[in-house]
Amino acid sequence: MNKNLEKAMEGAGRLKALLYSLEEITKDIDVDPDDLEDADKAANLLYMAEEISEDLSKSLDELSGDARICDVLLLAREIHINA
């Protein structure tokens, strides 16, 4: 598989773990009632980032499958040319 694709998939995995950790450490934070609106906005931003991260991971997985198909086709072409 392409090294750049592998690096992107690894980065997406690290991002997912980071977002999960942020969610976990912010669950039990007591928020001043005056700051509830800002806290809700921050939580919504975190959930949006998690959705984007999940979409990115899915797209990279699909791209990985496409890359494997291309690798197989290139190998078959090379075998055919050298036969």
Side-chain angles (χ1 to χ4, degrees):
M1 184 182 342
N2 182 299
K3 294 294 180 192
N4 291 326
L5 180 56
E6 287 178 5
K7 187 175 179 180
M9 292 176 76
E10 181 182 315
R14 288 193 321 261
L15 176 60
K16 186 175 182 176
L18 173 68
L19 292 171
Y20 176 79
S21 295
L22 283 171
E23 181 180 10
E24 288 299 307
I25 64 172
T26 58
K27 277 184 179 179
D28 298 324
I29 292 178
D30 291 327
V31 177
D32 187 88
D34 294 337
D35 297 327
L36 281 177
E37 186 176 336
D38 289 337
D40 286 341
K41 288 178 184 177
N44 286 334
L45 287 172
L46 178 60
Y47 295 133
M48 288 172 59
E50 288 176 336
E51 285 180 20
I52 291 168
S53 174
E54 187 62 33
D55 289 345
L56 175 62
S57 291
K58 287 179 184 176
S59 293
L60 287 171
D61 284 342
E62 289 176 14
L63 183 57
S64 172
D66 293 346
R68 287 188 192 122
I69 291 169
C70 289
D71 289 344
V72 168
L73 292 174
L74 288 171
L75 180 60
R77 179 177 176 259
E78 186 177 320
I79 290 170
H80 178 73
I81 289 172
N82 293 327

